[in-house]
């Protein structure tokens, strides 16, 4: 059943006239309403679509009569309501059948978790299914690390409903991005939505790797040579270590905003400077910072200009000198020390 449009004002006037004056032919209705017969027929057609009008064919000329809204609703909506009611009953029966298997599933899942401290899942579909299942079970907290700048729009579209559902259940969501994600429109939109629901999102110049941890019990990590695979980690000490690494990075990160602050800009410059001093190539620096190669080279050029360097080698040398001059003096190994 298609959704019926709202009744227009002429149709409402026509219906009111029939209620007040009783059944009337089109000619009389047109004269009473000050309309042409064509416009009157058009308004009558609207009322017919809503089952609010009927024609009395036993008199000449044929007359229109108003139909009770109760009768119209029963005729127009009743069959659809019955179909929906039967559909809901079917869904409830299906839910009950599936629900009867929950105790078996919970017990099997618990035994699997106890025996499978480290599991490598090589199917992307299987990985997504496991993440969705773990998210549905999550009751307290989710920790997320997403390096590489802005996230792909398709991934964000899939993640947003899941994350909002968890937040709606009172689950805490803490997410770390790189500073470069601040200029991704899709990431900005996602962050606005989850932040409004209570999530906390921060950024850091460089991250230690991709990670997803549910309730400090189950962690999902990437497989370095297979982008469709994931390592599912359930060993308590290993997961606790990952959470401590996250906490350290979180304490250094800055709240997400749609632009660089003075602090984030300085952090980004220092990270690039450190990579230059290590002799890293532009492509590696760009990949580690989650930015395009063109943007990375622009930042490097600005840094070299600031240092007054004419080459990358000279820039690295000047950066090494600057780091040495700002480092604290080394302790004399022969000097006696006393406990405080």
């Amino acid at each position: 059943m298609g959704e019926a449009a709202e009744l227009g004002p002429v149709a409402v006037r026509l219906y009111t006239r029939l209620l007040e004056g009783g059944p009337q032919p089109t000619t009389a209705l047109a004269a009473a309403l000050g309309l042409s017969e064509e416009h009157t027929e058009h308004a009558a057609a609207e009322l017919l679509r809503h089952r609010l009008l009927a024609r009395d064919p036993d008199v000449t000329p044929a007359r229109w009569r108003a139909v009770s809204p109760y009768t119209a609703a029963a005729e127009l909506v009743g069959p659809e309501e019955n179909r929906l009611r039967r559909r809901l009953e079917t869904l409830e029966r299906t839910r009950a059948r599936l629900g009867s298997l929950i105790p078996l599933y919970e017990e099997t899942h618990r035994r699997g978790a106890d025996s499978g401290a480290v599991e490598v899942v090589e199917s992307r579909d299987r990985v997504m299914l496991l993440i969705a299942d773990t998210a549905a079970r999550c009751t307290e907290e989710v920790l997320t690390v997403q390096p590489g700048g802005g996230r792909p729009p398709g991934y964000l579209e899939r993640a947003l409903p899941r994350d909002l559902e968890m937040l709606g259940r009172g689950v805490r969501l803490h997410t770390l991005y790189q500073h470069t994600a601040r200029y991704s429109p899709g990431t900005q939109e996602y962050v606005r939505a989850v932040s409004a629901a209570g999530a906390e999102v921060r950024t850091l110049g460089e991250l230690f790797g991709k990670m997803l941890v549910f309730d400090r019990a189950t962690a999902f990590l990437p497989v370095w040579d297979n982008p469709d695979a994931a390592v599912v980690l359930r060993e308590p000490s290993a997961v606790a270590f990952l959470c401590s690494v996250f906490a350290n990075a979180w304490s250094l990160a800055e709240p997400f905003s749609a632009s660089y602050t003075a602090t984030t800009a300085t952090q980004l410059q220092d990270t690039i400077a450190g990579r230059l001093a290590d002799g890293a190539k532009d492509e590696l620096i760009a990949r580690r910072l989650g930015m395009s190669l063109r943007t990375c080279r622009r930042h490097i050029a600005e840094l070299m200009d600031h240092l007054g360097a004419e080459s990358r080698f000279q820039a690295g040398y000047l950066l090494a000198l600057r780091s040495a001059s700002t480092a604290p003096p080394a302790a004399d190994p022969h000097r006696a020390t006393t406990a405080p």
Side-chain angles (χ1 to χ4, degrees), residues 48-292:
L48 278 171
R49 286 195 297 271
H50 288 80
R51 307 297 195 273
L52 289 168
L53 201 64
R55 189 188 293 271
D56 286 333
D58 298 334
V59 295
T60 304
R63 298 184 304 175
W64 294 108
R65 60 178 175 84
V67 175
S68 163
Y70 299 108
T71 303
E75 182 179 350
L76 192 62
V77 181
E80 187 68 17
E81 282 184 333
N82 290 333
R83 282 192 292 271
L84 288 174
R85 190 176 296 110
R86 289 193 296 271
R87 180 62 178 158
L88 285 173
E89 290 172 355
T90 301
L91 291 175
E92 286 301 322
R93 288 195 296 270
T94 301
R95 184 185 297 276
R97 285 196 300 271
L98 296 176
S100 67
L101 297 175
I102 288 178
L104 174 63
Y105 179 85
E106 294 283 353
E107 176 61 22
T108 304
H109 185 273
R110 184 191 63 77
R111 291 199 304 268
D114 291 343
S115 61
V118 180
E119 179 185 4
V120 179
V121 182
E122 298 184 349
S123 164
R124 180 175 181 82
D125 290 341
R126 175 66 176 161
V127 171
M128 299 308 296
L129 185 63
L130 281 173
I131 290 176
D133 179 69
T134 310
R137 297 167 163 277
C138 185
T139 59
E140 296 181 6
E141 180 184 58
V142 181
L143 308 178
T144 306
V145 183
Q146 297 289 349
R151 297 163 76 187
Y155 185 94
L156 291 170
E157 290 173 3
R158 291 191 300 271
L160 182 58
R162 179 196 69 204
D163 295 346
L164 290 178
E165 191 276 334
M166 287 192 293
L167 289 165
R169 289 191 279 111
V171 176
R172 299 185 302 277
L173 176 61
H174 293 163
T175 298
L176 275 173
Y177 290 127
Q178 288 182 259
H179 292 328
T180 46
R182 293 170 175 243
Y183 286 106
S184 165
T187 305
Q188 291 172 6
E189 185 176 348
Y190 166 84
V191 172
R192 279 194 296 270
V194 295
S195 297
E200 293 186 55
V201 183
R202 297 184 182 181
T203 66
L204 203 58
E206 192 170 2
L207 293 173
F208 52 87
K210 190 173 184 179
M211 184 178 78
L212 184 60
V213 182
F214 294 94
D215 283 341
R216 298 180 177 263
T218 305
F220 291 82
L221 305 173
V223 175
W224 71 273
D225 61 346
N226 185 353
D228 292 329
V231 176
V232 185
L233 187 63
R234 302 185 181 94
E235 201 288 315
S237 297
V239 176
F241 173 77
L242 292 175
C243 292
S244 68
V245 173
F246 180 94
N248 182 63
W250 184 262
S251 68
L252 300 173
E254 291 288 313
F256 188 98
S257 68
S259 62
Y260 287 163
T261 63
T263 301
T264 55
T266 299
Q267 286 182 356
L268 188 64
Q269 186 182 59
D270 289 347
T271 303
I272 293 175
R275 290 295 171 187
L276 275 179
D278 291 340
K281 294 183 178 181
D282 296 355
E283 291 80 2
L284 176 61
I285 297 175
R287 186 165 60 252
R288 293 294 297 269
L289 296 182
M291 63 175 61
S292 68

Side-chain angles (χ1 to χ4, degrees), residues 8-18 20 29 32-35 47:
V10 177
V12 174
R13 286 176 58 204
L14 176 58
Y15 186 71
T16 304
R17 179 65 184 176
L18 288 171
E20 294 174 347
L29 287 169
L33 297 174
L35 300 172
L47 294 170

